[in-house]
């Protein structure tokens, strides 16, 4: 007992005393540590304290995880929307002074434009557009015609955009985009939003005419109440409001026209797009009047402001929706500046105009070319969603052409085969779905597109095996007197070759997207170009076979021998499309051998990665291709065998880049009506020319000059590198 008492006395002597907080006039502090200790002992595994004002969401929001998007916290100025309104955060009217009222409306319009552009960039609707208190309680604005009509059309526009993105299912990329969080998107009477807007526009037009009218006519127009009482500012305010209202009207019309099936509204949509761009130019011009004519001074840092005036708009609070915005802690959102928002909408409208000007090419090859070319401009999610909705409607291309008919045409089969009963087989139904999925994937952003293309390669390979088995069964059962069965064999053969060709096209797209996304390091360029070269060879083979079959020689009875020989010579020429592919093959092979020779002779571009070997990186980059056996019998040992003997001396003797240049020049005339192909040929020539010169320089002085430094840049082509030789 004595020992225990002594031990307890020692422990109590060393135990730190709890610091007490002195009580104030209206506060009394108490130590709750024993209560927390007891609560911790009562809690089981996986349990947590939950109170009326404290839950998991609030607890997670309180944690600092060193991410500026996630560490925005849950603290807000107002606990509810009603509290914000009672506090005067969104007054109606905006000011008793009509001049300030009009100026405040313009600020709200500008800030909403910036919020909308920010939302399109992938942020949540709740914390961008619907941070506007007036939108959350639209009924409060009914007494203010301009604000009410503008907010109505904004809400209807948001609903239209959410609808097209949801229908296209491209929102998987920016998962917050189409989440509405119970926001009031569906308002009664929103279908009449344009009639409200038109009425307000007409009123402001009359006010503009009244302030511009000569004194002799002003008596007639005295019954028209002006926007505000400063007559010197009346015209500028009317013009500033009109261009903003008209932009909204034409933009809403554009979205509505583009949703019409089979592209029927494209012609009208293009007219509205042109009007939108003109109104945006007027909006930019109005900034000078708003900033200097109204404010009188130019504020510093105006480039980062969300309004043309540089003022902070009233009626906005992004934290109001933060508790219900998402199933994750609220994100810190930086709204785009007003100028950047205008630039965003100009680009969006140009992208939509490109879609509307598309001729709805019935050939799948033309569709793929258009989509790939369209993606080069890095279109926004909204534009890509409209493209996808156009391409795939009701399981048909453009909602017009059955997918089986598209496949038979792509496979170089006769027109009548599109009605063959073989399309009802499970194999062809699955193939049709694969084509639809491919079109949808090609409309996504580059990163998502590459990931999905890599995954569907195995599906294309499986369907190829199924078609091959079906062909063997048909060939085994075919009878010499059954023409219909012969046709089914012909369809299977053509489609089988086309499926393999399409598989290699997807593989080449997968590899090239890696360059656009900067996924390869310079030490890995050699293996990537080697794999691309192998894939392009197979693609050229299958494309050549399809074209050869589609141009089968016809009977030449009754023709002179001389004419017959001319036709044979014409048919024996290589098709320009194959030569176009051969240009890419020469560049890929030339770069492969050049990189391998630099590594073998000069020991440059060696991999210094200590964490994984070259073979492991080979498997990491091409795992999805290897799983799908694309191409067959291709592996890391075959890559090493192909490149281990490359030397600079032999490359100079046989220069692949000269071949690329020569072929590109020869086939230019074949693509005189195709500006995209001509531009690509010019890029190929530039890469080939610069790499040929670099190769000659390296081979002459490389071994003698150890200070020679070789780097690779993508200055002339996004996928094929150009060697840059410098002395270090």
């Amino acid at each position: 007992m004595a020992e225990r008492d002594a031990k307890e006395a020692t422990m109590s002597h060393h135990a730190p005393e709890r610091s007490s907080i002195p009580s104030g006039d209206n506060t009394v502090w108490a130590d709750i540590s024993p209560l927390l200790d007891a609560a911790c002992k009562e809690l089981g595994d996986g349990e947590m304290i939950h109170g009326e004002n404290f839950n998991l969401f609030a607890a997670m929001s309180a944690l600092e995880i060193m991410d500026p998007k996630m560490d925005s916290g849950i603290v807000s100025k107002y606990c509810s929307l009603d509290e914000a309104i009672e506090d005067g955060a969104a007054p109606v009217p905006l000011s008793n002074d009509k001049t300030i009222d009009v100026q405040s409306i313009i600020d709200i319009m500008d800030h909403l434009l910036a919020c909308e552009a920010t939302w399109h960039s992938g942020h949540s609707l709740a914390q961008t557009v619907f941070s506007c208190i007036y939108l959350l309680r639209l009924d409060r604005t009914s007494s203010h015609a301009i604000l009410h009509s503008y907010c109505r059309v904004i809400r209807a526009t948001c609903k239209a955009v959410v609808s097209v993105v949801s229908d296209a299912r491209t929102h998987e990329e920016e998962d917050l985009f189409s989440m509405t969080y119970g926001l009031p998107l569906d308002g009664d009477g929103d279908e009449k939003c344009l009639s409200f807007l038109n009425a307000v526009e007409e009123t402001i037009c009359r006010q503009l005419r009244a302030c511009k009218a000569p004194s002799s006519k002003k008596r007639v127009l005295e019954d028209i109440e002006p926007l505000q009482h400063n007559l010197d500012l009346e015209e500028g305010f009317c013009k500033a409001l009109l261009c903003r209202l008209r932009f909204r009207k034409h933009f809403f019309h554009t979205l509505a026209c583009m949703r019409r099936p089979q592209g029927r509204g494209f012609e009208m949509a293009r007219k509205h797009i042109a009007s939108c761009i003109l109104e945006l130019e007027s909006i930019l011009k109005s900034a000078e009047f708003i900033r200097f004519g109204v404010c009188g001074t130019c504020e510093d840092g105006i480039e980062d402001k969300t309004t043309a005036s540089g003022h902070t708009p009233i009626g906005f609070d992004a934290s109001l929706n933060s508790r219900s915005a998402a199933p994750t802690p609220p994100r810190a959102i930086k709204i785009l500046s007003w100028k950047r928002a205008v630039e965003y909408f100009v680009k969006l409208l140009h992208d939509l105009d490109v879609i509307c000007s598309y001729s709805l090419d019935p050939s799948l090859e033309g569709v793929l070319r258009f989509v790939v070319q369209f993606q080069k401009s890095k279109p926004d999610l909204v534009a890509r969603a409209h493209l996808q909705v156009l391409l795939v409607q009701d399981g048909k291309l453009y909602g017009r052409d059955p997918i089986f008919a598209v496949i038979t045409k792509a496979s170089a089969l006769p027109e009548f085969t599109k009605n063959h009963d073989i399309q009802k087989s499970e194999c062809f139904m699955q193939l049709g779905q694969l084509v639809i999925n491919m079109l949808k994937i090609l409309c996504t952003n580059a990163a998502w597109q590459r990931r999905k293309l890599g995954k569907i390669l195995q599906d294309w390979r499986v369907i190829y095996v199924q078609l091959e088995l079906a062909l063997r069964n048909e060939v085994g059962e075919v009878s010499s007197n059954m023409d219909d069965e012969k046709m089914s064999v012909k369809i299977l053969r053509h489609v089988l070759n086309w499926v393999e060709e399409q598989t290699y096209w997807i593989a080449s797209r997968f590899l090239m997207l890696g360059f656009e996304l900067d996924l390869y390091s310079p030490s890995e360029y050699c293996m990537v170009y080697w794999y691309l070269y192998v894939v392009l060879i197979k693609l050229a083979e299958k494309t050549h076979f399809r074209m050869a079959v589609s141009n089968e020689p016809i009977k030449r009875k009754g023709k002179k021998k001389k004419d017959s020989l001319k036709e044979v010579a014409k048919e024996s020429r290589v098709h320009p499309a194959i030569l176009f592919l051969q240009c890419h093959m020469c560049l890929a092979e030339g770069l492969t051998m050049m990189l391998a020779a630099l590594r073998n002779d000069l020991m440059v571009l060696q991999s210094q990665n200590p964490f994984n070997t070259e073979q492991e990186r080979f498997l990491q980059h091409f795992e999805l291709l290897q799983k799908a056996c694309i191409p067959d019998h291709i592996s890391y040992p075959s890559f090493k065998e192909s490149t281990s003997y490359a030397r600079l001396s032999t490359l100079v003797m046989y220069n692949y880049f000269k071949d690329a240049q020569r072929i590109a020049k020869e086939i230019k005339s074949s693509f005189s009506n195709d500006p995209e192909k001509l531009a690509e040929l010019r890029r190929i020539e530039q890469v080939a020319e610069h790499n040929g010169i670099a190769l000659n320089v390296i081979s002459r002085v490389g071994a003698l000059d150890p200070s020679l430094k070789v780097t690779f840049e993508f200055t002339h082509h996004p996928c094929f590198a150009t060697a840059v030789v410098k002395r270090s």
Side-chain angles (χ1 to χ4, degrees):
M1 286 289 290
E3 289 180 3
R4 189 178 66 184
D5 292 340
K7 188 176 181 179
E8 287 178 356
T10 305
M11 289 177 66
S12 63
H13 176 73
H14 291 292
E17 294 184 4
R18 298 186 185 276
S19 60
S20 60
I21 304 174
S23 301
D25 295 336
N26 299 316
T27 59
V28 177
W29 293 88
D31 186 0
I32 63 167
S33 299
L35 175 64
L36 292 176
D37 290 338
C40 287
K41 291 175 182 177
E42 291 290 326
L43 289 172
D45 290 339
E47 293 181 341
M48 69 169 290
I49 296 173
H50 183 88
E52 184 178 348
N53 293 319
F54 185 80
N55 51 32
L56 178 61
F57 182 70
M60 290 297 294
S61 300
L63 295 175
E64 186 172 337
I65 58 177
M66 308 308 292
D67 183 347
K69 277 193 173 183
M70 304 298 280
D71 287 335
S72 57
I74 201 68
V75 178
S76 57
K77 185 178 180 181
Y78 303 109
C79 292
S80 67
L81 180 61
D82 291 327
E83 184 184 336
I85 293 171
E86 288 172 9
D87 194 45
V92 179
L94 284 72
S95 174
N96 293 324
D97 186 326
K98 285 195 172 184
T99 302
I100 297 174
D101 184 83
V102 174
Q103 185 180 341
S104 299
I105 291 171
I106 293 172
D107 287 341
I108 290 172
M109 291 176 172
D110 289 347
H111 190 75
L112 277 171
L113 187 77
C115 286
E116 191 175 2
T118 308
W119 171 48
H120 286 193
S121 302
H123 291 288
S124 76
L125 183 64
Q127 290 181 278
T128 52
V129 179
F130 276 83
S131 64
C132 180
I133 299 171
Y134 296 109
L135 275 172
L136 294 169
R137 289 284 175 85
L138 197 55
D139 55 304
R140 293 181 61 251
T141 65
S142 57
S143 60
H144 200 299
I146 299 174
L147 183 60
H148 186 69
S149 63
Y150 193 85
C151 287
R152 266 190 180 278
V153 77
I154 280 279
R155 185 169 68 179
T157 301
C158 289
K159 184 180 177 182
V161 172
V162 167
S163 173
V164 71
V165 174
S166 299
D167 289 350
R169 299 188 65 82
T170 51
H171 61 279
E172 292 176 357
E173 310 167 354
E174 289 88 2
D175 55 351
L176 293 176
F177 191 92
S178 61
M179 295 176 71
T180 56
Y181 320 104
L183 295 169
L185 268 181
D186 296 312
D188 295 332
D190 273 2
E191 65 278 358
K192 298 178 182 178
C193 65
L194 289 180
S195 61
F196 284 105
L197 199 71
N198 287 331
V200 170
E201 182 189 352
E202 181 57 34
T203 300
I204 297 174
C205 282
R206 288 200 299 269
Q207 291 167 331
L208 178 61
R209 286 195 295 269
C211 73
K212 292 172 71 176
S215 55
S216 59
K217 293 184 179 180
K218 281 192 176 180
R219 293 177 184 175
V220 183
L221 300 170
E222 280 180 356
D223 58 327
I224 298 174
E225 185 181 354
L227 269 175
Q228 43 81 57
H229 300 302
N230 189 337
L231 297 180
D232 294 333
L233 302 176
E234 182 76 358
E235 182 179 346
F237 274 134
C238 286
K239 288 181 177 179
L241 283 172
L242 280 173
C243 58
R244 284 161 173 79
L245 293 171
R246 285 168 178 166
F247 168 74
R248 279 289 148 206
K249 177 180 70 174
H250 290 299
F251 187 60
F252 185 77
H253 272 305
T254 298
L255 297 176
C257 290
M258 291 193 72
R259 288 308 304 269
R260 292 181 64 185
Q262 299 180 20
R264 293 194 185 104
F266 280 2
E267 187 177 350
M268 185 60 67
R270 293 196 73 185
K271 293 178 181 178
H272 287 296
I273 288 169
S275 298
C276 279
I277 293 172
L278 288 174
E279 298 304 335
L280 284 173
E281 290 174 0
S282 299
I283 289 172
L284 284 172
K285 290 176 184 176
S286 71
E288 187 176 351
F289 160 76
I290 293 168
R291 200 171 304 144
F292 298 106
V294 179
C295 304
T297 57
C298 180
E299 296 185 17
D300 293 332
I302 197 75
E303 296 294 327
D304 296 328
K305 302 295 183 180
T306 60
T307 60
S309 66
H311 295 163
T312 301
I314 61 173
F316 289 85
D317 189 342
S319 64
L320 274 176
N321 299 315
S322 60
R323 289 180 181 271
S324 59
T328 58
R331 300 182 177 190
I333 294 175
K334 180 173 174 56
I335 303 296
L336 292 175
S337 69
W338 174 73
K339 276 197 170 182
R340 283 191 62 192
V342 172
E343 290 168 2
Y344 164 80
F345 274 100
V346 169
K347 185 180 185 308
L348 172 61
L349 289 163
H350 280 302
D351 290 336
L352 294 178
D353 188 58
V354 171
I355 295 172
C356 292
S357 60
Y358 179 49
S359 61
L360 305 190
D361 191 334
S363 72
L364 187 62
E365 184 181 359
V367 175
L368 297 180
R369 277 187 57 194
F370 173 76
V371 176
V372 170
Q373 187 65 28
F374 180 71
Q375 288 278 29
K376 288 179 181 178
S377 66
K378 293 182 171 52
D380 152 80
L381 170 66
V382 176
R384 287 186 277 106
H386 276 94
L387 176 60
Q388 183 180 316
V389 169
L390 166 67
L391 295 180
V392 181
Q393 298 174 21
D394 303 322
K396 297 179 179 179
L397 182 64
Y398 314 125
R400 182 188 69 193
D401 304 329
I403 295 298
F404 182 74
V406 174
I407 292 171
T408 55
K409 186 170 185 176
S411 305
L413 282 161
E415 179 74 13
F416 64 86
T417 55
K418 68 181 182 181
N419 299 317
H420 199 279
D421 287 341
I422 200 171
Q423 64 182 298
K424 298 175 184 177
S425 66
E426 184 180 354
C427 197
F428 275 92
M429 290 176 70
Q430 290 177 357
L431 178 59
Q433 191 58 50
L434 275 182
V435 173
I436 290 173
N437 290 343
M438 178 183 67
L439 290 173
K440 289 182 176 181
I441 289 169
L442 290 173
C443 293
T444 59
N445 66 37
W448 187 273
Q449 183 184 153
R450 187 178 189 272
R451 185 163 59 249
K452 288 293 183 181
L453 286 178
K455 289 181 178 179
I456 67 164
L457 278 171
Q458 291 186 61
D459 298 330
W460 280 84
R461 199 62 172 172
V462 168
I463 208 73
Y464 174 81
V465 173
Q466 291 176 353
L467 286 168
E468 197 173 31
L469 289 172
L471 177 60
R472 288 177 184 174
N473 293 335
E474 287 287 333
V475 170
E477 296 173 5
V478 73
S479 174
S480 58
N481 57 355
M482 296 180 69
D483 293 336
D484 190 53
E485 288 191 7
K486 279 186 178 181
M487 182 51 64
S488 65
V489 170
K490 183 177 181 179
I491 290 173
L492 282 167
R493 280 179 176 157
H494 279 243
V495 173
L496 190 66
N497 180 76
W498 174 79
V499 166
E500 200 168 12
E501 178 190 349
Q502 200 59 46
T503 305
Y504 288 121
W505 183 88
I506 294 171
S508 66
R509 178 78 181 148
F510 171 83
L511 291 170
M512 288 185 178
L513 279 171
F515 287 106
E516 293 182 27
L517 294 167
D518 200 21
L519 298 180
Y520 311 127
S521 66
S523 62
E524 295 164 345
Y525 289 166
C526 184
M527 68 172 72
V528 176
Y529 284 124
W530 176 83
Y531 214 112
L532 180 61
Y533 168 67
V534 174
V535 167
L536 288 174
I537 286 177
K538 292 290 185 181
L539 177 59
E541 285 178 3
K542 301 304 171 184
T543 307
H544 179 70
F545 179 79
R546 173 174 56 84
M547 290 181 170
V549 170
S550 65
N551 296 322
E552 288 178 349
I554 57 174
K555 293 181 180 180
R556 301 186 180 86
K557 289 183 179 179
K559 290 189 178 182
K560 293 180 180 180
K561 185 177 181 181
K562 186 177 179 181
D563 295 336
S564 180
L565 288 172
K566 283 182 179 178
E567 287 190 9
V568 170
K570 188 177 179 181
E571 288 166 5
S572 63
R573 293 175 189 168
V574 180
H575 196 279
I578 307 299
L579 293 172
F580 187 79
L581 277 173
Q582 197 170 344
C583 287
H584 291 99
M585 287 162 53
C586 288
L587 284 186
E589 188 176 13
L591 281 165
T592 301
M593 293 297 112
M594 184 180 184
L595 288 158
L598 286 170
R599 185 179 57 187
N600 296 337
D601 286 349
L602 304 181
M603 299 300 175
V604 296
L605 297 174
Q606 295 277 3
S607 174
Q608 303 297 327
N609 196 329
F611 302 107
N612 50 14
T613 63
E614 186 180 57
Q615 184 171 1
E616 287 172 335
R617 291 198 307 280
F618 184 93
L619 293 174
Q620 288 166 1
H621 281 304
F622 312 124
E623 181 183 10
L624 295 172
L625 298 174
Q626 294 277 288
K627 282 182 178 178
C629 300
I630 300 172
D632 288 320
H633 314 300
I634 293 299
S635 61
Y636 177 73
S638 54
F639 158 67
K640 291 299 291 182
E641 185 181 350
S642 301
T643 58
S644 58
Y645 298 107
R647 293 290 182 270
L648 290 170
S649 56
T650 55
L651 283 182
V652 176
M653 292 172 62
Y654 187 79
N655 195 327
Y656 300 96
F657 300 120
K658 286 183 179 178
D659 287 349
Q661 269 185 290
R662 176 180 54 80
I663 297 169
K665 286 178 181 177
E666 287 176 358
I667 62 174
K668 272 186 177 180
S669 59
S670 302
F671 299 106
S672 55
N673 296 323
D674 192 335
E676 293 171 15
K677 288 279 181 73
L678 285 176
E680 177 67 8
L681 288 172
R682 282 193 293 270
R683 286 191 289 267
I684 288 171
E685 282 184 303
Q686 287 179 320
V687 173
E689 182 182 359
H690 284 81
N691 281 337
I693 294 169
L695 185 60
N696 287 329
V697 172
I698 295 167
S699 62
R700 287 178 186 174
V701 299
L704 302 174
D705 190 350
S707 66
L708 205 67
K709 185 179 179 182
V710 183
T711 57
F712 286 86
E713 299 175 355
F714 294 91
T715 50
H716 302 294
H717 198 285
C719 300
F720 294 102
T722 302
V724 178
V725 183
K726 293 180 181 178
R727 282 190 172 88
S728 57

